[in-house]
Amino acid sequence: MDDCIFCQIVDGEIPSRTVYEDDTVLAFLDANPLARGHTLVIPKAHHERVGEMPSDVAAAVFAAVNDLTPAVEAAVDAPGTTVAFNNGEAAGQEVPHAHCHIVPRFESDGGRPIHSLFGDRPDLSDAELDDVEAAIEAERD
Ligand code: 5GP
Ligand code: ZN
């Protein structure tokens, strides 16, 4: 994808601070970090969203996230991290090349958990939950 910023980083056309690289995955520091050590983990191939990566690529991305998260925490002495994908425009994804954020968290950083992104929780009946459970299962068949 010629006009994709992250593909240009993979191709070396835009510089980045690379913290990990293999044949499938690249991890680099976010240029506009939410916290010291904020790292992005991406598939090298252009896949826009979670669910669009072949399973071997998705597995490699998550393996890198699993490996890098404690390294990022140790590097900046963070007791925790928020690890997340903004997946799709509706969820705030600005760069349309799938990327996992590893954001170091500190006791007094003023940040909140992912739950705080949302307002009132929907009041779903048991029947509605049954329907959702069945619908997700059916979509995977
Ligand atoms: P999104 O909102 O799509 O989940 O997050 C995109 C992230 O990419 C943002 O945190 C932003 O700071 C980061 N970003 C955007 N352009 C560049 C860039 O050219 N280099 C690097 N290293 N990060 C970038
Ligand atoms: Zn791309």
Side-chain angles (χ1 to χ4, degrees), residues 1 4-8 43-47 95-98:
M1 287 282 288
C4 171
I5 294 170
F6 287 175
C7 283
Q8 290 172 44
K44 283 188 169 175
H46 184 85
H47 301 288
V95 178
H97 181 134

Side-chain angles (χ1 to χ4, degrees), residues 37-41 64-65 68-69 72 81-84 100-104:
H38 183 172
T39 297
L40 302 174
V41 183
V65 170
L68 281 163
T69 296
V72 169
T81 31
T82 293
V83 179
C100 182
H101 294 262
I102 303 174
V103 186

